[in-house]
């Protein structure tokens, strides 16, 4: 590779939103390391992933949803429903292995249900998934009512708690496998290009011959399936399920994706940006936890991040337009 081209690509990367996130991550990492002697330990690094692993798994597919110009507010409710459905099936005598298959299928069906109203009926995804967020949470509470369900097989609890490869548990391995797989799909395949195209201009994509309904159906079905997987891992990690499982997780998930540079209006974003945002949020939460900052304050900080993640990229666009206007290049 030409050294000049390589250097220009490095400079361009550093000037990008991903480059800014990388700088923030490095500063955050250094600050946490100085602030606490426990931060830079292997157990703590695994722990900071483990405590939020279900959220970051769903953030991977949420990247597709938002780049496609949609939103899925029902993901946390599907997670909770999946966990409760597993507990209910197990308590009813269904073998745990069979219950897992049923739960994953149910998650895909719930995602396809969302897709039907969004892609075929034409109702905005914000409206559909707001309604199903409430409905699916209601189904979860109906299944378990106010009681908790425990006593799962030891091998199931091990999936969410015990190390699988060295000190790393299965859930973290699943997360990185999904990141690699969906990075390739988003950045290197025709389907990924269609996701961007539809998010940039739905009507133009449709008139160009892109099967918009099929793309949206696949994305929302995958969103339901992966949310159900995350719900199962959540149940395995805790060794118990309740009707309020994963309650409010959608805030963290959407914050991560938008912080990663994915435009809330669709058509822009990368899996690399989402991964960097995941690392920033996890390190920020972990650093605050090591400083004994309460969960309510942590949630407030994430709320501020959500606002900034929407505003800052737009401010960058406005500045760029003003610069073009100053040079007389804006039409």
């Amino acid at each position: 590779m030409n050294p000049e081209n390589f250097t220009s690509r490095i400079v361009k990367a550093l000037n990008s939103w991903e480059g800014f996130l990388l700088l923030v991550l490095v500063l955050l990492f250094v600050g946490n390391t100085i602030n606490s002697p426990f931060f830079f330990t292997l157990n703590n690094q695994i722990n900071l992933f483990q405590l939020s692993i279900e959220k970051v798994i769903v953030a991977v597919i949420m990247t597709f949803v938002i780049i496609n110009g949609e939103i899925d507010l029902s993901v946390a409710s599907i997670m909770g429903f999946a966990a409760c459905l597993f507990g209910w099936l197990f308590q009813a005598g269904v073998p745990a292995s069979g219950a897992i298959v049923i739960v994953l299928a149910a998650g895909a069906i719930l995602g396809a249900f969302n897709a039907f109203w969004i892609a075929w009926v034409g109702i905005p995804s914000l409206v559909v998934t707001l309604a199903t967020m409430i409905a699916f949470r209601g189904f979860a509470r109906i299944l378990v009512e106010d009681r908790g369900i425990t006593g799962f097989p030891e091998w199931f609890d091990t999936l969410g708690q015990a190390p699988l490869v060295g000190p790393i548990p299965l859930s973290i391995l699943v997360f990185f496998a999904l990141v690699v797989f969906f990075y390739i799909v988003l950045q290197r395949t025709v389907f990924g290009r269609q996701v961007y195209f539809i998010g940039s201009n739905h009507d133009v994509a449709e008139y160009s011959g892109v099967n918009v309904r099929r793309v949206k159906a696949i994305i929302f079905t995958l969103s339901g399936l992966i949310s159900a997987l995350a719900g199962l891992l959540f149940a395995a990690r805790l060794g118990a399920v309740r009707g309020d499982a994963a309650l409010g997780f959608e805030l963290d998930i959407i914050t991560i994706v938008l912080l990663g540079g994915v435009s809330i209006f669709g058509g822009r974003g990368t899996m690399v940006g989402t991964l960097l945002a995941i690392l920033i949020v996890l390190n920020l939460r972990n650093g605050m936890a090591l400083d004994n900052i309460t969960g309510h304050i942590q949630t407030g900080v994430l709320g501020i991040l959500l606002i900034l993640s929407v505003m800052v990229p737009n401010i960058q666009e406005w500045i760029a337009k003003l610069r073009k206007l100053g040079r007389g290049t804006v039409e």
Side-chain angles (χ1 to χ4, degrees):
M1 179 183 292
N2 188 313
E4 291 183 1
N5 290 339
F6 178 76
T7 302
S8 64
R9 289 178 64 179
I10 293 295
V11 171
K12 183 178 179 181
L14 292 175
N15 287 330
S16 66
W17 182 251
E18 287 83 0
F20 172 73
L21 292 178
L22 181 59
L23 176 61
V24 171
L25 179 61
V26 170
L27 292 175
L28 192 59
F29 194 85
V30 171
N32 283 342
T33 302
I34 294 172
N35 190 48
S36 173
F38 304 105
F39 176 77
F40 195 52
T41 61
L42 182 59
N43 286 338
N44 185 60
Q45 293 301 307
I46 292 174
N47 186 57
L48 68 88
F49 262 102
Q50 188 70 346
L51 292 178
S52 298
I53 193 63
E54 301 84 17
K55 298 176 187 176
V56 300
I57 284 175
V58 178
V60 174
I61 190 62
M62 185 66 79
T63 302
F64 276 74
V65 174
I66 299 181
I67 289 176
N68 195 235
E70 305 291 353
I71 193 73
D72 190 350
L73 299 176
S74 69
V75 288
S77 294
I78 294 177
M79 290 170 67
F81 173 77
C84 292
L85 178 60
F86 175 82
W88 182 80
L89 289 169
F90 178 74
Q91 197 173 56
V94 178
S97 56
I100 289 174
V101 175
I102 294 172
V103 168
L104 292 176
I109 290 170
L110 295 182
F113 179 79
N114 282 338
F116 170 76
W117 295 105
I118 294 164
W120 273 270
V121 179
I123 302 175
S125 57
L126 177 65
V127 176
V128 172
T129 60
L130 179 61
T132 55
M133 175 183 73
I134 299 169
F136 298 160
R137 179 64 62 184
F139 296 158
R141 293 188 182 278
I142 290 171
L143 287 173
V144 300
E145 298 177 345
D146 293 326
R147 69 186 189 277
I149 299 176
T150 59
F152 302 137
E154 184 178 350
W155 66 263
F156 179 76
D157 291 342
T158 299
L159 294 179
Q161 300 170 9
L164 184 66
V165 177
I168 303 174
L170 173 67
S171 53
I172 295 179
L173 295 175
V174 168
F175 165 68
F176 281 106
L178 289 174
V179 167
V180 172
F181 174 76
F182 282 115
Y183 168 81
I184 294 171
V185 172
L186 185 61
Q187 311 294 155
R188 298 288 186 267
T189 68
V190 173
F191 181 81
R193 289 193 290 273
Q194 290 176 340
V195 171
Y196 280 105
F197 192 13
I198 294 168
S200 297
N201 196 315
H202 177 280
D203 294 335
V204 172
E206 197 163 34
Y207 290 136
S208 299
V210 176
N211 193 332
V212 174
R213 289 177 176 174
R214 181 180 67 87
V215 172
K216 290 187 183 297
I218 291 173
I219 291 174
F220 276 95
T221 302
L222 283 174
S223 181
L225 175 63
I226 291 175
S227 297
L229 172 62
L232 287 169
L233 291 172
F234 186 69
R237 179 165 66 86
L238 298 184
V241 298
R242 290 174 53 89
D244 60 355
L247 185 66
F249 279 18
E250 60 276 342
L251 171 64
D252 282 11
I253 293 166
I254 294 171
T255 299
I256 287 169
V257 177
L258 297 183
L259 180 62
V262 176
S263 172
I264 190 64
F265 303 109
R268 189 178 73 235
T270 65
M271 194 59 67
V272 172
T274 297
L275 178 59
L276 289 170
I278 286 170
L279 295 174
I280 287 173
V281 170
L282 294 186
N283 279 275
L284 184 61
R285 270 195 178 277
N286 186 247
M288 288 190 289
L290 290 173
D291 273 343
N292 295 317
I293 296 175
T294 65
H296 296 298
I297 296 178
Q298 293 180 29
T299 302
V301 171
L302 287 177
I304 294 171
L305 274 180
L306 177 58
I307 296 172
L308 292 177
S309 62
V310 174
M311 288 180 57
V312 173
N314 289 330
I315 291 173
Q316 287 181 318
E317 289 184 7
W318 297 335
I319 292 174
K321 287 180 180 179
L322 286 173
R323 287 176 176 173
K324 289 182 179 180
L325 184 62
R327 294 195 297 265
T329 58
V330 174
E331 295 181 0

